[in-house]
């Protein structure tokens, strides 16, 4: 019965919210992006926008490609040839695919060359390696992102397939939207909404959930926080695949300069979700799934170059950086 009660509990998460300015000398927006290594979905929402600019379209289409290598032995990742070809010549990312972090063996190659192994008890004992117990009890195929010719030729002895990220662009009409003030992270009663309220609203928008909270709606009870306004239109773009931090950083830089010319929108958002079964969240912080494998972050970029940063992980993960 105790197990059944735990299964019924709503999964908790840790959410850290902060505000800064892109021009501030201690702004850590680059650090947050660069150290969140394994991203599978990137979404940005631009209010009062009908079509993406040509520059944004180009950035979106330049996120790929990435590669799926089947049945790759882990020892290939520590061979001198692999290290000289990929690790020493630049950033190389690899992650096991279609494994459950709390049950299966998982491997992650960090861009600095460190190899993270998350192993079950039997495999760990067989390897004879020295490690430490995972905080998450219980725990074949690799994904890469690097130069096309080098990857396909180097792994020619294995089944390798190139993939391109999937891009979806939608135009939202008459969208209920919270009122935000850049300097009021917690919001002000009857004047503006806070970061926590925005976090829930943005999740609903990205999931295409209804925000009307109609009595007949049995799927969603979400509604827009108050005070709110209604956007005549908004553009939502979502990129899904194996997305490296360098590309996310370029997109954020472009979006922060969206307001270099006057715009109707007072702000825009960029949201990044990590792979639920990645062994790490930020840097080398151990990540587990438990009741939910979320590790994600969002930027709210204001026209004056202020920004809000929201970072979330599962309740049993370490607090986001």
């Amino acid at each position: 019965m105790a197990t059944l009660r735990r299964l019924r509990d709503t999964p908790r998460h840790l959410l850290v919210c902060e505000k800064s300015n892109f021009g501030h000398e201690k702004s850590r927006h680059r650090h947050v992006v660069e150290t969140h290594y394994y991203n599978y979905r990137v979404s940005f929402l631009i209010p009062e926008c009908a079509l993406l600019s040509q520059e944004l379209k180009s950035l979106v289409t330049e996120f790929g490609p990435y590669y799926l290598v089947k049945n790759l032995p882990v020892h290939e990742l520590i061979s001198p040839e692999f290290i000289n070809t990929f690790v020493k010549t630049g950033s190389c990312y690899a992650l096991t695919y279609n494994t459950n972090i709390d049950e299966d063996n998982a491997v992650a190659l960090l861009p600095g060359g460190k190899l993270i192994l998350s192993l079950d008890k039997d495999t760990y004992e067989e390897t004879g390696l020295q490690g430490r117990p995972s905080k998450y009890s219980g725990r074949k195929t690799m994904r890469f992102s690097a130069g096309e010719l080098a990857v396909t030729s180097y792994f020619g002895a294995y089944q390798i397939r190139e993939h391109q990220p999937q891009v979806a662009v939608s135009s939202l009409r008459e969208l209920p939207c919270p009122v935000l003030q850049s300097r009021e992270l917690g919001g002000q009663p009857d004047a503006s909404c806070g970061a926590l309220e925005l976090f829930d609203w943005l999740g609903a928008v990205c999931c295409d959930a209804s925000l009307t909270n109609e009595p007949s709606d049995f799927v969603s009870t979400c509604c827009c926080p108050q005070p709110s306004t209604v956007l005549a239109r908004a553009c939502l773009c979502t990129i899904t695949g194996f997305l490296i931090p360098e590309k996310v950083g370029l997109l954020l830089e472009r979006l922060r300069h969206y307001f270099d010319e006057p715009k109707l929108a007072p702000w825009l958002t960029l949201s990044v979700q990590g792979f639920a079964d990645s062994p790490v969240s930020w840097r080398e912080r151990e990540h587990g799934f438990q009741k939910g494998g979320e590790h994600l972050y969002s930027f709210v970029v204001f026209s004056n170059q202020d920004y809000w940063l929201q970072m979330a992980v599962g309740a049993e993960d370490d607090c986001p950086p």
Side-chain angles (χ1 to χ4, degrees), residues 24 33 43 78 80 143-144 161 181 243 249 252 271 273 319:
H24 196 283
V33 172
S43 302
I78 59 174
R143 286 179 184 265
F144 289 86
R161 183 177 179 183
Q181 294 180 4
L243 312 173
L252 178 59
S271 302
Q273 293 176 262
C319 190

Side-chain angles (χ1 to χ4, degrees), residues 119-134:
L119 308 175
D120 60 34
K121 182 175 181 293
D122 291 341
T123 305
Y124 173 71
E125 292 177 348
E126 288 176 5
T127 62
L129 297 172
Q130 291 186 351
R132 58 178 174 81
S134 170

Side-chain angles (χ1 to χ4, degrees), residues 101 116-121 124-125 129-139 279 284-287 316 318:
I101 188 62
I116 303 292
L117 305 178
S118 179
L119 308 175
D120 60 34
K121 182 175 181 293
Y124 173 71
E125 292 177 348
L129 297 172
Q130 291 186 351
R132 58 178 174 81
S134 170
K135 293 184 296 184
Y136 314 105
S137 299
R139 283 279 157 245
E284 297 171 27
R285 294 172 183 260
E286 187 180 357
H287 172 65
E316 298 188 35
D318 289 337

Side-chain angles (χ1 to χ4, degrees), residues 17 25 48 86 97 99 110 131 135 152 181 191 198 206 225 229 239 266-267 274 306 315-316:
C17 302
E25 61 179 6
E48 304 300 350
F86 295 99
Y97 174 65
T99 54
L110 306 186
K135 293 184 296 184
T152 53
Q181 294 180 4
L198 175 72
C206 291
T229 185
I239 311 151
W267 49 266
D306 285 350
E316 298 188 35

